[in-house]
Amino acid sequence: MRNEPPGARRKKAHAQGAAAVTAADPLAPARSWLASRGWSPFPFQEQVWSAYLNGKSGLLHAPTGMGKTLAVALGPLLEEVARRGEGGSRKRERGLKVLWLTPLRALANDTAEALASAVEGLGLNWSVELRTGDTAQSRKRKQRVDGLPNILVTTPESLSVMLSYPDLVGEAGGKTPSSAAGGPAGPSPAEPGEGGTLSPLAGIRAVIVDEWHELLGTKRGVQTELGLARVRALSPSVRTWGLSATLGNLDEAMRVLLGAGAPQGVMVRGQGRREYQFRTIIPPDIERFPWAGHLGIRLLPQVCEAIDASNLTLLFTNTRSQSEIWFSSLLRASNKYMGKVAIHHGSLDRKLRGRVEEAVKAGELKCVVCTSSLDLGVDFAPVDQVIQIGSPKGIARFLQRAGRSGHQPGGVSKIVCVPTNALELVEFAAARDAIAAEGGPVDVEEREPLVLAMDVLVQHMMTVAVGGGFDERRLLAEVRTTNAFNALTDDQWRWAMDYIHRGGPALTAYAHYARATQDDPPDGLWRMSAASLVRNHRLNIGTITSDASIAVRMANGKVLGSVEESFIGRMAPGDIFAFSGRVLELVRVRDMTAVVRPARRARGNVPSWQGSRMAISTHLASAVRVRLGEAHRGVYRGPEMKAAEPILRLQDAWSTLPQPGELLIEYATTSEGHHAFVYPLEGRLVHEGLAALAAWRFARAEPRTFVLASNDYGFHLLSPTPIQFREADWRSALSPAGLTEDLLACLNAAQLARRQFREIARVAGLIIPGFPGQGRSNRHLQASSELFYDVFSEYDAGNLLLDQARRQVLERQLEYRRLAGALERLADATLAVKDLPCLSPFAFPLWVDSLREQLTTEKWTDRLSRMLVTLETRAGGPPAGRAACSKGKARGTP
Amino acid sequence: MTTVRIGDHELGLLAGRGVVRWSDRTLYVADLHIGKASAFARGGVPISGSVLEATTADALKRLTAMIVQAETERLVVLGDLLHAAGGRDPRTLDLLERWRWEHRGVDVVLVRGNHDQAAGDPPSSAGIRCVDEPFDDRGLTLRHHPLAAGTGTATLAGHVHPAVRLRSPGDSARVACFWLSKGQLVLPAFGGFTGMGEVRAGAGDRVFVPAEGVVVEVPVVVSTVARVGRSAR
């Protein structure tokens, strides 16, 4: 278990410690069990136990994982020991007592083992079981028929699926449970919980949410909130405890977890801060170090040295494609890595991942190349070093990754930073500043909770409708106890009811297409019971987590893993990509499966996973601004800044290094057109919004088309016609006035919302899930989310899912709060405008690493005619080498 | 008006996604997929009644506009008039029949497509003559499914919902198109609730896109450019 010292998992015979203890001190059984293993409790653990025994809910946070599991697990167990001490029966009481939610399936196993050993240690005979997407169907059915275990470890999705089984929830109307409509269960288990109530969930005493910071701010977090509200309605006295890493907004995190209107929770701070040992690999030849790009592969020899000097290294990359590159490069670097280096990322097949995790525990590996799939979770106790390839993007994430090494008590977390381009040296220096900040807690980022995610709401309503039905007013009240839907209006609720009833506001001509239907009075419960709807709905519950995934399969049938549909959708048969450490050629895509074969060419285009690109956090961005300001004044502190000095000086000489309070704008002209580069240093998402906004506001004055691109440092406008803006033009283009209206107006053109609709359509049940072997029968019911978006926009403009897509673009994709803050800051900034003969070191990465997002206000026919001209030119002769000359110039100049 | 000539036939391409043969003013459209939204709703997909009503009504309204524009008295649907058996709800069929009543002077022929096979012929009260492919229409072969190798005769077809991706520096859009290949003219899908399939035009093919009231020919290099662009990414 990751929260205990090594060796804890071994099941030692323990000295019946619990039984011997008197009831005087309720914490004594825990102390004596720990003492029997030679440990003593941390003060924060006792604090949580006492708070729990006093009936409190709360949140336990700590920078790292030490002892957190036992802190929250032992409360309910001590309570049970005390109950029995008071003359309660020693016979095992049936029914679920403790529900443990974890965001990661991979965590569930370790957690269950730890809980089982604690149960045994306290002399209890409670049963502990798992229920996740990986649990066998037969096991899950047994849990439905024979009753749930006393302690259940599960995921938010699995809880949601549980809530869709009437025999697990009990009838909302308080009637005798009957077998599930469409469910395969035989006679229903008339499982009487305690107190004569009928719901098998009514006896839950504690819900524990592990890694709450990972859920907060996501749709799975909203799904968790709704699930918790359901559990609280069924078991009103339940206590909720969350475990979280350090966050900038812990109080808010706790309020969201406990629900609106809950009594004040108890905030407990865990074990103190950890020691970090921080080293950056400095590129030996900075003059030739790339200004752009993300591979950093030229530091491979130094990375190999670092790996060789340690026992077990986790090598983190920011994207899956990077992890593929590093994995294959390491294998090519030396034969000694054969069988000693493994790859682990979210889209690999679960079995492969499981095998890697086993090999790590068995000490067979030297290095695991991974992405955020290993940010949290599985305890790899022997890890003694973490290598971070590329910018960590945020301080919290950086700390979390660093914390994966040196896990033993008193251990030092060793992290080696590998820059992949020159500017990342500055980011590492800035991250080091934040970690080394003297005194007080480390200044880390906030996670903003999501509100009013209508797709998750309608999915939950369907879940409850399938799981025994609901009374409309009672469910509305329950839903409003969540932070996410505390502000839900009656109109929004009305729409959601219409949506689950018949897809939208009533139109009598089509009333026979009812989905959820209402029972006759007096109960008047809403239910959804048609077998096909029930089945499709349960399949859809898991979709909050993942993009529609396409299985990647070799022609001989071997499954390699899965990739997002959007990724495969961009490729044609014959295209080459790297996946799962192999270079593959796409043969065909059929029935949600991509058939591949080993590619004949040695090197492939590396798949680019746009979805997983993270933006630099506000905290890190402002630390970077400080460092650049220092550099402008000639101050270069630390090895990273000293290494980056030649390039920063070049930037300063050709253009300038923006100081805090200054906004740099560079103009340049290439054969591609006329460029404006703007550097607010606010992170990629904010820049995407700023770019769209500025382009739209410029184009409002004079119709024209821009090519937009953004990265973490700034954004880029490219126009086929000269850009001649005065300072006043920039001021009004970047003015905070009318932000929301203008953003929404330009969004429509940019079609960002249409893309957001992909996920919404799946969660809200518009996409009938494909499942193996059944692909064809549903075919006439399948349409792309984009088509739904277009059709709804045209014919059902009041659909709140459209509204949500637009809000999601604002809140999630453009980080509206940050954007507004950035504009306020820029309004006070002085402008530094530079006219450059060629691209500067800052401009170059923007130019090459461009996410192309086009926005236009010109009439479609004008655009069309220009495209035609281009095509005709090309058809008439060989295409001009349009990009090559400017690229060559920029690369060659330093 | 953009006109193409296949064999002896002068064919006008209409921006409303139809083709008119000038010799007898026959109007051809393909892939209406009427009742698709209804079929989805019946299959449990949450689509509002307003969408059900509007997608059908809109398709019929646009059809009316083209009939008026081409002053035609004969309309041929090149397959997939109805989307699925599940879409044959009384309200949708009622809209269709009412539309037929308004245009009772127009002779309507359906060349059955794959969706029509599953959905069944429209009710006889709609007065639509249904024939199987290939159907010889005064020297013009009518099919739902185009043939990859061409038919060797002047042919009109549908089924693939052809589209091309147009690009200029920094701009890109997928547009429904007419695709003329090997003497075979494939029409864009007419229905509003239909997807698109990008075509891979070969040498000698011609591609036309409807845009704001006109139909423009696009150089066929388009599809090669699109493919190059994709693999370069």
Side-chain angles (χ1 to χ4, degrees):
Chain A
M1 184 190 81
R2 79 206 145 99
N3 297 327
E4 291 176 356
R9 215 176 303 120
R10 250 170 271 132
K11 282 183 186 147
K12 284 194 222 160
H14 61 86
Q16 292 301 314
V21 174
T22 59
D25 178 2
L27 305 189
R31 288 199 193 105
S32 79
W33 170 54
L34 290 177
S36 77
R37 321 185 106 194
W39 310 327
S40 58
F42 295 116
F44 76 87
Q45 289 177 320
E46 299 205 340
Q47 212 182 326
V48 176
W49 300 338
S50 302
Y52 178 85
L53 293 176
N54 286 330
K56 302 281 190 194
S57 295
L59 183 72
L60 169 63
H61 69 95
T64 57
M66 305 292 297
K68 283 199 285 191
T69 303
L70 284 189
V72 285
L74 291 192
L77 299 186
L78 287 169
E79 179 183 41
E80 179 65 12
V81 171
R83 278 183 178 226
R84 295 185 183 189
E86 283 156 15
S89 160
R90 301 195 67 84
K91 192 166 154 286
R92 182 168 91 85
E93 237 183 280
R94 298 183 69 190
L96 184 58
K97 307 295 179 204
V98 180
L99 179 64
W100 186 291
L101 294 176
T102 169
L104 209 70
R105 286 179 197 174
L107 266 177
N109 256 324
D110 285 0
T111 304
E113 275 185 45
L115 293 176
S117 112
V119 163
E120 196 190 332
L122 293 193
L124 293 172
N125 48 6
W126 273 4
S127 53
V128 183
E129 286 178 25
L130 293 176
R131 188 187 178 97
T132 71
D134 298 345
T135 308
Q137 278 304 325
S138 57
R139 180 85 235 163
K140 289 184 189 169
R141 183 172 307 174
K142 193 166 181 308
Q143 288 173 349
R144 290 215 324 276
V145 176
D146 298 347
L148 292 163
N150 299 118
I151 301 180
L152 185 67
V153 179
T154 188
T155 60
E157 305 57 65
S158 287
L159 172 62
S160 232
V161 175
M162 283 170 64
L163 293 176
S164 78
Y165 284 100
D167 40 8
L168 283 178
V169 178
E171 294 264 335
K175 290 185 239 160
T176 311
S178 59
S179 78
S188 147
E191 159 103 347
E194 50 190 359
T197 167
L198 285 165
S199 169
L201 302 182
I204 299 184
R205 296 172 191 163
V207 182
I208 288 153
V209 184
D210 206 350
E211 309 271 7
W212 174 232
H213 60 281
E214 285 292 332
L215 292 168
L216 191 67
T218 68
K219 287 192 180 174
R220 295 178 79 203
V222 174
Q223 187 179 34
T224 308
E225 286 181 57
L226 289 167
L228 290 178
R230 197 85 266 274
V231 168
R232 285 182 197 121
L234 294 167
S235 176
S237 63
V238 71
R239 276 153 280 180
T240 312
W241 279 85
L243 295 172
S244 171
T246 307
L247 284 176
N249 56 335
L250 280 167
D251 287 329
E252 188 175 31
M254 182 165 77
R255 275 202 310 278
V256 175
L257 178 71
L258 303 191
Q264 177 64 38
V266 179
M267 181 78 72
V268 179
R269 187 180 151 76
Q271 181 81 325
R273 56 190 295 190
R274 174 174 278 277
E275 285 286 317
Y276 294 98
Q277 208 186 79
F278 182 104
R279 177 165 79 91
T280 302
I281 294 182
I282 304 294
D285 184 3
I286 194 71
E287 301 295 330
R288 295 181 51 207
F289 198 60
W291 292 355
H294 293 292
L295 304 186
I297 206 76
R298 56 175 70 197
L299 295 177
L300 183 64
Q302 291 89 332
V303 168
C304 290
E305 272 171 37
I307 290 172
D308 294 344
S310 289
N311 290 324
L312 175 59
T313 300
L314 289 187
L315 186 143
F316 280 101
T317 64
N318 286 337
T319 63
R320 292 177 211 178
S321 54
Q322 260 182 316
S323 66
E324 298 284 355
I325 291 170
W326 276 91
F327 177 61
S328 58
S329 302
L330 282 171
L331 289 184
R332 273 200 300 272
S334 166
N335 284 337
K336 70 183 173 212
Y337 293 135
M338 201 59 79
K340 291 284 181 189
V341 177
I343 184 164
H344 188 289
H345 64 60
S347 60
L348 287 184
D349 190 55
R350 178 164 48 80
K351 282 195 204 123
L352 291 177
R353 268 185 289 163
R355 227 173 291 150
V356 173
E357 286 157 22
E358 287 308 311
V360 165
K361 285 180 191 167
E364 292 164 10
L365 296 176
K366 191 79 186 152
C367 174
V368 181
V369 179
C370 50
T371 62
S372 47
S373 63
L374 282 183
D375 268 354
L376 65 160
V378 205
D379 177 29
F380 285 170
V383 173
D384 56 355
Q385 168 178 272
V386 166
I387 297 181
Q388 165 68 33
I389 307 287
S391 163
K393 300 294 183 188
I395 289 152
R397 177 180 297 272
F398 191 52
L399 286 176
Q400 194 170 24
R401 288 186 171 176
R404 299 310 307 272
S405 73
H407 227 281
Q408 59 280 27
V412 174
S413 293
K414 265 171 61 185
I415 186 155
V416 178
C417 306
V418 181
T420 63
N421 63 46
L423 292 175
E424 278 175 357
L425 284 164
V426 182
E427 289 177 41
F428 283 129
R432 182 208 287 275
D433 288 353
I435 291 173
E438 302 247 338
V442 178
D443 189 16
V444 297
E445 291 85 5
E446 302 186 355
R447 295 257 168 111
E448 195 180 334
L450 274 186
V451 294
L452 297 175
M454 297 304 287
D455 53 347
V456 183
L457 177 63
V458 295
Q459 188 188 83
H460 180 73
M461 290 165 72
M462 289 186 249
T463 298
V464 184
V466 169
F470 65 83
D471 173 85
E472 183 179 346
R473 281 170 57 189
R474 285 224 298 259
L475 185 62
L476 172 59
E478 179 185 313
V479 159
R480 279 182 175 155
T481 64
T482 64
N483 181 74
F485 300 102
N486 195 20
L488 188 76
T489 67
D490 289 345
D491 284 347
Q492 285 164 329
W493 175 258
R494 189 70 256 144
W495 177 84
M497 286 297 298
D498 277 339
Y499 181 86
I500 66 159
H501 178 32
R502 47 192 162 194
L507 217 134
T508 46
Y510 299 93
H512 56 292
Y513 294 146
R515 297 156 41 76
T517 52
Q518 190 171 20
D519 288 356
D520 292 334
D523 294 353
L525 294 187
W526 285 89
R527 295 173 195 277
M528 202 163 86
S529 46
S532 65
L533 290 176
V534 169
R535 189 190 55 210
N536 284 339
H537 178 68
R538 290 204 180 111
L539 283 168
N540 253 334
I541 288 177
T543 57
I544 290 185
T545 41
S546 58
D547 189 3
S549 62
I550 300 257
V552 178
R553 188 165 65 75
M554 301 289 274
N556 66 12
K558 183 177 177 182
V559 176
L560 298 176
S562 61
V563 296
E564 285 92 349
E565 185 189 7
S566 51
F567 169 66
I568 283 290
R570 287 205 307 265
M571 293 201 295
D575 281 0
I576 309 286
F577 65 105
F579 180 75
S580 181
R582 304 157 198 254
V583 180
L584 302 167
E585 178 185 335
L586 182 64
V587 179
R588 64 173 173 273
V589 180
R590 190 184 294 160
D591 294 345
M592 304 303 277
T593 302
V595 178
V596 297
R597 63 172 167 233
R600 262 161 284 149
R601 273 184 276 158
R603 273 251 192 210
N605 288 335
V606 172
S608 75
W609 304 82
Q610 295 293 345
S612 60
R613 296 207 338 183
M614 291 170 289
I616 193 173
S617 73
T618 322
H619 283 55
L620 189 52
S622 72
V624 167
R625 281 199 296 271
V626 169
R627 285 293 197 153
L628 291 179
E630 283 180 11
H632 182 65
R633 297 193 303 276
V635 178
Y636 292 87
R637 286 188 292 126
E640 297 89 0
M641 292 302 287
K642 288 204 167 67
E645 186 173 340
I647 285 159
L648 295 179
R649 285 204 187 277
L650 196 65
Q651 169 72 27
D652 212 16
W654 288 4
S655 169
T656 188
L657 284 168
Q659 302 179 77
E662 193 176 45
L663 175 65
L664 171 62
I665 297 170
E666 294 173 350
Y667 291 120
T669 300
T670 68
S671 60
E672 270 195 315
H674 304 268
H675 307 258
F677 297 93
V678 186
Y679 306 100
L681 291 160
E682 289 283 357
R684 182 173 56 82
L685 297 182
V686 170
H687 294 150
E688 277 178 21
L690 287 178
L693 181 71
W696 186 82
R697 284 172 170 176
F698 283 136
R700 186 168 51 179
E702 180 198 339
R704 63 194 302 169
T705 299
F706 290 105
V707 178
L708 313 182
S710 320
N711 68 9
D712 278 334
Y713 288 78
F715 64 89
H716 170 204
L717 304 181
L718 168 62
S719 167
T721 53
I723 302 180
Q724 283 158 333
F725 300 134
R726 288 160 304 144
E727 171 159 352
D729 298 326
W730 284 109
R731 291 270 177 219
S732 66
L734 298 176
S735 156
L739 172 63
T740 316
E741 301 75 42
D742 287 357
L743 259 186
L744 284 174
C746 68
L747 288 183
N748 226 355
Q751 298 229 327
L752 295 171
R754 197 159 174 257
R755 238 182 283 150
Q756 287 288 326
F757 204 67
R758 294 179 74 95
E759 177 198 65
I760 293 171
R762 271 200 308 280
V763 174
L766 283 165
I767 309 293
I768 303 277
F771 59 131
Q774 203 238 345
R776 274 180 187 275
S777 63
N778 273 337
R779 220 156 155 199
H780 68 282
L781 296 183
Q782 276 164 3
S784 72
S785 57
E786 283 87 356
L787 184 54
F788 277 118
Y789 185 82
D790 293 344
V791 169
F792 287 172
S793 299
E794 184 149 3
Y795 303 115
D796 188 17
N799 195 313
L800 291 188
L801 297 178
L802 296 174
D803 180 57
Q804 190 191 333
R806 289 186 284 265
R807 271 192 299 123
Q808 240 169 260
V809 174
L810 283 181
E811 289 162 8
R812 186 200 266 191
Q813 197 171 1
L814 298 174
E815 293 196 287
Y816 183 80
R817 268 214 278 199
R818 255 182 98 174
L819 187 68
L823 286 179
E824 295 292 343
R825 195 177 64 76
L826 294 179
D828 296 330
T830 50
L831 298 192
V833 181
K834 305 285 173 183
D835 225 326
L836 303 184
C838 56
L839 302 183
S840 72
F842 277 14
F844 185 72
L846 253 177
W847 180 76
V848 290
D849 178 35
S850 57
L851 181 151
R852 301 210 148 192
E853 179 65 57
Q854 76 85 26
L855 177 144
T856 180
T857 53
E858 286 171 287
K859 280 218 297 288
W860 167 237
T861 36
D862 295 345
R863 277 172 67 198
L864 191 72
S865 62
R866 197 169 49 244
M867 287 194 247
L868 292 176
V869 169
T870 312
L871 290 166
E872 277 153 7
T873 323
R874 242 180 254 174
R882 54 192 182 105
C885 60
S886 52
K887 190 175 182 176
K889 198 198 301 173
R891 272 244 167 89
T893 316
Chain B
M1 174 73 62
T2 306
T3 300
V4 294
R5 185 171 191 89
I6 321 178
D8 303 332
H9 306 273
E10 287 270 348
L11 301 172
L13 308 184
L14 305 179
R17 301 184 175 189
V19 166
V20 63
R21 176 164 66 178
W22 292 121
S23 60
D24 61 353
R25 286 208 317 277
T26 300
L27 175 64
Y28 301 92
V29 294
D31 299 286
L32 272 68
H33 291 272
I34 282 173
K36 181 171 175 181
S38 288
F40 274 48
R42 174 169 290 187
V45 179
I47 295 185
S48 137
S50 64
V51 174
L52 271 46
E53 178 96 7
T55 44
T56 304
D58 178 68
L60 297 174
K61 197 175 80 191
R62 289 187 293 118
L63 212 44
T64 297
M66 282 216 305
I67 288 172
V68 172
Q69 187 198 351
E71 296 180 39
T72 185
E73 292 184 343
R74 185 156 177 272
L75 170 71
V76 180
V77 178
L78 299 167
D80 293 358
L81 173 70
L82 296 179
H83 181 71
R88 298 174 68 106
D89 63 85
R91 176 68 182 160
T92 302
L93 295 180
D94 185 46
L95 287 172
L96 182 65
E97 281 173 40
R98 224 189 302 161
W99 175 84
R100 272 305 279 138
W101 176 250
E102 288 161 12
H103 299 281
R104 53 196 178 280
V106 179
D107 180 25
V108 182
V109 178
L110 167 67
V111 180
R112 292 188 190 99
N114 54 322
H115 278 269
D116 301 301
Q117 304 291 353
D121 288 344
S124 56
S125 52
I128 295 174
R129 188 155 68 97
C130 302
V131 299
D132 286 323
E133 67 179 350
F135 177 70
D136 178 69
D137 189 22
R138 295 168 209 166
L140 198 54
T141 305
L142 306 184
R143 304 183 55 87
H144 175 61
H145 301 87
L147 296 182
T151 58
T153 57
T155 302
L156 291 184
H159 184 62
V160 296
H161 302 198
V164 284
R165 183 167 290 282
L166 298 183
R167 290 163 195 273
S168 69
D171 201 355
S172 150
R174 203 161 64 141
V175 205
C177 69
F178 296 91
W179 176 30
L180 177 58
S181 175
K182 303 184 176 79
Q184 195 171 225
L185 179 65
V186 185
L187 276 65
F190 186 83
F193 189 9
T194 52
M196 287 187 258
E198 259 175 66
V199 299
R200 297 212 160 174
D205 290 4
R206 297 175 72 188
V207 167
F208 304 84
V209 300
E212 317 226 323
V214 290
V215 174
V216 205
E217 179 158 12
V218 168
V220 158
V221 71
V222 165
S223 61
T224 359
V225 169
R227 233 174 307 157
V228 167
R230 191 189 286 137
S231 54
R233 216 182 301 161

